[in-house]
Amino acid sequence: MTDSVKPRVRAAADKRRRLTAAAARVLHEQGVERTTLADIARAADVPVGNVYYYFKTKDDLVLAALAEHGAHLDRLTGGLERLPDPRDRLKGLVEAWVGQRETAARYGCPTGTLAAELDKRADGTLDAEAGAVMRRLLEWAAGQFRALGLADPDGLALTLVSAYQGMSLLANALREPDVMAREGARLLRWLDSLQTPAGQAAEAGPEPRSATRAESAAGDAAG
């Protein structure tokens, strides 16, 4: 690749990144039906005619937004993996959710609200993609419960994520961020109450320099 081509390639990649991030944000705030390509182009500061170069349809942008939500989940859980104790990872996840309570009260859970809206469509393709992001979260949470040696880790993960969806929905419906704070505190107490089997040690590993829940959860919570 010549030096003259590299800046154009970087500029194109930057435009695509901006459009993808804008799609995730605007679709969360406005919903799929109310959002136009022009809305996303404006939020990304990209000429609307350029949008079609990267995304042929609004469905393509919805898929890109779901990929952005998945990438955010990976960044968040990747940061939490720095914590040596699986229980602290789970508690860090809850704290990250609570940290987004103002956004949740205004717009709901980014992936959950999108999944609910897409489920009403006839084709069933995009709602499956939204479900895949949810499934990744469930699988990660189940892995933490499994590492603690707890029985029924999949069921515990479902309880945790269901509680998050419920408190997000209620905070949004009532426009009360404090719902997230109160229910988040309840989830933290529940996690503390789960008894690790006698003799079952949490995953061993060196104590990382930055291994605090606050640092790990806050690093990517707003990404």
Side-chain angles (χ1 to χ4, degrees), residues 103-118:
T103 300
R106 184 67 184 87
Y107 305 113
C109 165
T111 307
T113 54
L114 193 53
E117 185 175 5
L118 293 173

Side-chain angles (χ1 to χ4, degrees), residues 52-151:
Y52 295 97
Y53 177 79
Y54 302 96
F55 303 100
K56 301 304 181 188
T57 66
K58 187 162 73 173
D59 279 3
D60 290 337
L61 272 166
V62 173
L63 285 171
L66 287 168
E68 183 77 4
H69 291 320
H72 167 66
L73 174 62
D74 291 343
R75 291 193 298 271
L76 175 58
T77 55
L80 292 170
E81 288 291 343
R82 297 197 300 266
L83 298 170
D85 184 350
R87 194 187 307 265
D88 280 344
R89 295 174 201 156
L90 291 164
K91 293 173 74 172
L93 178 66
V94 173
E95 288 167 353
W97 289 338
V98 173
Q100 293 297 300
R101 61 189 176 278
E102 296 291 341
T103 300
R106 184 67 184 87
Y107 305 113
C109 165
T111 307
T113 54
L114 193 53
E117 185 175 5
L118 293 173
D119 182 60
K120 295 178 174 62
R121 297 174 54 159
D123 56 34
T125 302
L126 295 179
D127 60 309
E129 293 294 331
V133 178
M134 289 285 196
R135 192 169 299 280
R136 282 161 64 184
L137 174 59
L138 284 166
E139 289 172 352
W140 182 86
Q144 309 314 307
F145 288 117
R146 191 169 293 110
L148 287 168
L150 295 168

Side-chain angles (χ1 to χ4, degrees), residues 161-186:
V161 176
S162 296
Y164 165 55
Q165 289 299 321
M167 68 190 195
S168 295
L169 175 62
L170 285 172
N172 179 230
L174 301 173
R175 293 293 193 269
E176 292 184 11
D178 192 49
V179 168
M180 294 280 287
R182 292 198 305 270
E183 293 307 302
R186 194 188 309 274

